[in-house]
Structure formats: C-alpha cells, structure tokens
Amino acid sequence: MGLTHYQMRTILLPVKKLSASSISTLDMCEMKWFLQYMAGFREPSGRAAAIGSMCHYVLECIAHSKLLRQNGRSFKKDDVVGRITPQYDLQKLTDKVYAHYTQKEPHIEWGDKEYREVCRNIEKAKAHPLFPENHAEIISPEQFFMMKVDEEWAKYSYLKGGKTEEGNVHINGIIDLIFRDSNGVLNYLDYKFGQPKDWATGKKKDYAAIVKDVQLCMYYLAVKNKFPGEDICVNIWYVNHNLVFSDFFGQAQEDIIMKKLESVLARLRSIDKPDTRRGFHCRFCPFSKTSFKNWDRPNLDIDYNKFGGHFEPVEEKVCVCDATKTFIDYRGLTTTLENLK
C-alpha cells in the first residue's frame, strides 16, 4: 500500500537509507546533511579523522589475522597491506597502513609527529583487554549491514523519470568488530580514538548518553537481526582515554532507535529549505569556509557583494552553504538538488 497523497506531496528529498553518521550530521546541521548526503559533496578528512582511520584499519587487520588462525586459512587479500596472514609483525603492519593513508590524504601535512601518534595509539590499544588478539572468538571484523525498516512510517514513494518508486527506508553501517568473550557471550565493539563527546552538541558523553546513543542502538538492532535470540553486550572503547562503556542492550534501545528513525524521517519529509543556522560546529565545517570553486564547481559561485550571506566571503564569493541556500530560494529544493548533482 502506497503513501497518502498528502505524504507523497510533502516528500521532496529522496531518502532511501539512513546511517548513524547521516543522522548525527542532520542533528548538527540540515544544510551540511543536504550537501553531503543528498548532493554528494564529501568533506575531506581532517588530521584527527585520518589518524583514527589508520588505527581502525590496523586493528581490523589484527582481527582478520586472528580469524584466519581460527579458520585454519593461510591468508586474506587486502587492498591496503597486500596480504593479511595468521602471523604478523605489528610495526610493519602499522607502517603499511600509515603509508597507504598518507598517500590517500595528501592534503594533510604528514610528519614524524603524526607517525608517532599512530604508533602510540596502537601501543595503547595493544595493552588493553579489548585488543582483538584477546577475544575468545572473532565473529566478524568490519561487519557491513543493510537492514530494511519494516514499518509503515518508513515507506517512501517518489516520482522519478515519470514513474513512481516505492519501498522502505533501510538503515546501514559498518560495525568495527563482533566477537564472543570467554563466557560465550556475543559482543560488538566500536573503537574511538577521539574524545568521548557528542560532536552534534559538544557535550561530554557519559553512561546515560551512551545507552541512548543513536549509533550503538542502531548497531544493536542490526546485530539482533543477524543473531536473533542472543544476549548482546555492547562496548564502546575510547582508546586514548582508556575509557570503556559496556552494557547489555535490549528492548529499551530498540525502542529508542525506532522512535529516532521515525522522527528523523518525519523531519526530512517536512524540509523544503535546509536550515543554515550558525553554531559552534561551523568552525569545523568546510562548507562555511569554501566556495564552489574549491569543490571544482566554479560555475556555481555567487558574487558575495551582490548576495552576501551569514558567513565571511571566500575570495569575494559566497560560501557553499550560503550559495546553496540562495539557489533554493530562487529555484526550489528539487531543481537545486538536480543542479548540484
């Protein structure tokens, strides 16, 4: 059964899937969400994020190595380190990952300081009980999921090329590690190499925030769907702060994420002009500091002296978020999205 005429009329943005990161970005700024997840403008990784990605990848390789030993296999092909084997040299593995990411992110200035930071992070991780080698059984490193939200409020219906496209929104993501502990309990683990804070609000995370965390609740739903009937222990590990939150999730977390998804979809269906309100997050956002020329789209640049905006001019041009707002004012949301794509 399709959506009502009113519901179909109000859906302007073709949202077919949601990830925890997309929801977090939406909570932070509607315009940033629109530019990233609708128009496809991906912000470049910063130094801290790139270092975190390197450390994640090293731990992923270690988990794969242990999994090879469990399964009696000799190697696994890998695009970054070449081959992962049951035995490894941790320093050589770290060096290969570091070399790959420094070439992948040439816009970042890499040096001895950054290399030492990566090595220190890995050493801290190695000394902790949650280091992949210490788990009784590795189930799945970097587990991707794509799960249908089978609710009436999760249905969508869009006109595309003169035809109606219908379906249910899916949730998707990648879980750092699923494993069993020495008691046979199923666990999933999320590594963090940054600070224990909510980047949408700037507030420090505590236990009360963790048990309602959108990402962890979404991952719980995905793991429960894959392993029905099992008790599931959730772990989030802030490596550099030697801080771990562990708890068993259940119906309360399932209710939290379903309520959040329903509210997010209702919000997206009501958007006809993404909000561009200023906040502390703008200091870290490239869309408020660059024009379309910086994204190889100079044809979309707007003269600052003529149109102005919330933010300072970028080489006498309007920044990306203000320019997009201007396009929407003049052309509407649907046409602007087509132009940006």
Side-chain angles (χ1 to χ4, degrees), residues 182-196:
S182 57
N183 296 316
V185 174
L186 189 70
N187 287 251
Y188 71 86
L189 172 61
D190 189 49
Y191 307 118
K192 300 291 185 187
F193 287 89
Q195 298 180 41

Side-chain angles (χ1 to χ4, degrees), residues 57-58 61-62 76-85 92-98 100-101:
Y57 208 93
V58 172
C61 290
I62 293 165
K76 177 184 183 299
K77 291 183 179 180
D78 184 80
D79 293 337
V80 174
V81 300
R83 294 197 342 165
I84 300 173
T85 59
K92 289 182 179 179
L93 190 62
T94 303
D95 289 347
K96 287 182 178 180
V97 172
Y98 183 83
H100 171 83
Y101 275 90

Side-chain angles (χ1 to χ4, degrees), residues 92-155:
K92 289 182 179 179
L93 190 62
T94 303
D95 289 347
K96 287 182 178 180
V97 172
Y98 183 83
H100 171 83
Y101 275 90
T102 52
Q103 292 177 10
K104 181 182 176 183
E105 310 286 359
H107 62 281
I108 300 173
E109 188 173 337
W110 298 103
D112 290 342
K113 178 183 177 182
E114 287 71 25
Y115 174 74
R116 289 195 300 269
E117 183 174 344
V118 172
C119 292
R120 281 196 303 270
N121 289 349
I122 298 303
E123 286 302 315
K124 287 179 183 177
K126 183 181 177 182
H128 198 277
L130 285 175
F131 190 64
E133 284 288 0
N134 299 327
H135 302 313
E137 181 186 4
I138 300 292
I139 302 296
S140 178
E142 293 293 296
Q143 175 65 58
F144 172 79
F145 67 87
M146 179 72 77
M147 177 182 164
K148 177 184 175 183
V149 183
D150 196 12
E151 298 287 343
E152 189 67 23
W153 48 258
K155 292 182 181 298

Side-chain angles (χ1 to χ4, degrees), residues 26 41 58 102 116 166 205 240 246 329:
L26 180 67
F41 288 86
V58 172
T102 52
R116 289 195 300 269
E166 296 185 334
K205 286 203 171 184
N240 282 322
S246 295
D329 287 340

Side-chain angles (χ1 to χ4, degrees), residues 276-287:
T276 56
R277 70 185 187 279
R278 292 190 66 166
F280 78 94
H281 54 269
C282 296
R283 291 178 294 167
F284 313 105
C285 180
F287 300 125

Side-chain angles (χ1 to χ4, degrees), residues 4-282:
T4 65
H5 172 71
Y6 174 75
Q7 287 174 312
M8 289 181 66
R9 180 171 59 82
T10 57
I11 297 176
L12 298 175
L13 297 169
V15 180
K16 300 178 183 179
K17 61 183 180 179
L18 289 169
S19 65
S21 59
S22 71
I23 293 173
S24 177
T25 302
L26 180 67
D27 286 342
M28 185 184 298
C29 177
E30 287 182 5
M31 182 58 78
K32 183 173 183 177
W33 174 86
F34 176 78
L35 287 165
Q36 286 195 192
Y37 293 95
M38 290 288 97
F41 288 86
R42 294 296 182 182
E43 62 177 315
S45 295
R47 173 188 173 278
I51 287 176
S53 295
M54 292 181 194
C55 298
H56 269 82
Y57 208 93
V58 172
L59 296 183
E60 178 190 343
C61 290
I62 293 165
H64 276 298
S65 180
K66 183 177 176 65
L67 187 59
L68 288 172
R69 295 199 300 274
Q70 286 177 197
N71 296 337
R73 295 177 56 197
S74 57
F75 72 92
K76 177 184 183 299
K77 291 183 179 180
D78 184 80
D79 293 337
V80 174
V81 300
R83 294 197 342 165
I84 300 173
T85 59
Q87 305 300 326
Y88 59 87
D89 182 311
L90 183 57
Q91 191 60 59
K92 289 182 179 179
L93 190 62
T94 303
D95 289 347
K96 287 182 178 180
V97 172
Y98 183 83
H100 171 83
Y101 275 90
T102 52
Q103 292 177 10
K104 181 182 176 183
E105 310 286 359
H107 62 281
I108 300 173
E109 188 173 337
W110 298 103
D112 290 342
K113 178 183 177 182
E114 287 71 25
Y115 174 74
R116 289 195 300 269
E117 183 174 344
V118 172
C119 292
R120 281 196 303 270
N121 289 349
I122 298 303
E123 286 302 315
K124 287 179 183 177
K126 183 181 177 182
H128 198 277
L130 285 175
F131 190 64
E133 284 288 0
N134 299 327
H135 302 313
E137 181 186 4
I138 300 292
I139 302 296
S140 178
E142 293 293 296
Q143 175 65 58
F144 172 79
F145 67 87
M146 179 72 77
M147 177 182 164
K148 177 184 175 183
V149 183
D150 196 12
E151 298 287 343
E152 189 67 23
W153 48 258
K155 292 182 181 298
Y156 63 79
S157 182
Y158 306 111
L159 286 175
K160 183 178 180 181
K163 296 182 179 179
T164 301
E165 187 173 326
E166 296 185 334
N168 277 62
V169 170
H170 285 61
I171 56 174
N172 67 288
I174 300 176
I175 302 170
D176 289 341
L177 183 64
I178 301 175
F179 68 94
R180 290 194 187 277
D181 60 26
S182 57
N183 296 316
V185 174
L186 189 70
N187 287 251
Y188 71 86
L189 172 61
D190 189 49
Y191 307 118
K192 300 291 185 187
F193 287 89
Q195 298 180 41
K197 64 186 293 186
D198 185 331
W199 293 102
T201 64
K203 294 180 179 179
K204 184 177 181 180
K205 286 203 171 184
D206 55 15
Y207 179 78
I210 292 295
V211 295
K212 295 184 290 186
D213 182 85
V214 169
Q215 182 184 43
L216 294 181
C217 290
M218 183 182 288
Y219 288 6
Y220 167 75
L221 196 64
V223 175
K224 178 189 174 184
N225 184 62
K226 187 174 178 63
F227 299 92
E230 295 225 35
D231 292 329
I232 302 168
C233 185
V234 178
N235 307 270
I236 183 168
W237 175 22
Y238 291 94
V239 178
N240 282 322
H241 295 265
N242 196 29
L243 182 63
V244 178
F245 292 94
S246 295
D247 201 357
F248 285 90
F249 275 17
Q251 188 62 47
Q253 282 68 36
E254 187 171 345
D255 292 342
I256 287 170
I257 189 58
M258 295 303 280
K259 184 177 180 180
K260 179 66 174 180
L261 291 170
E262 184 175 8
S263 68
V264 165
L265 289 172
R267 177 182 178 182
L268 292 174
R269 286 171 180 146
S270 71
I271 292 176
D272 57 5
K273 183 188 297 183
D275 187 12
T276 56
R277 70 185 187 279
R278 292 190 66 166
F280 78 94
H281 54 269
C282 296

Side-chain angles (χ1 to χ4, degrees), residues 315-333:
E315 297 177 348
E316 300 183 355
K317 302 297 181 182
V318 175
C319 72
V320 171
C321 48
D322 281 339
T324 304
K325 178 180 180 296
T326 303
F327 295 148
I328 294 172
D329 287 340
Y330 280 81
R331 305 173 185 174
L333 188 65

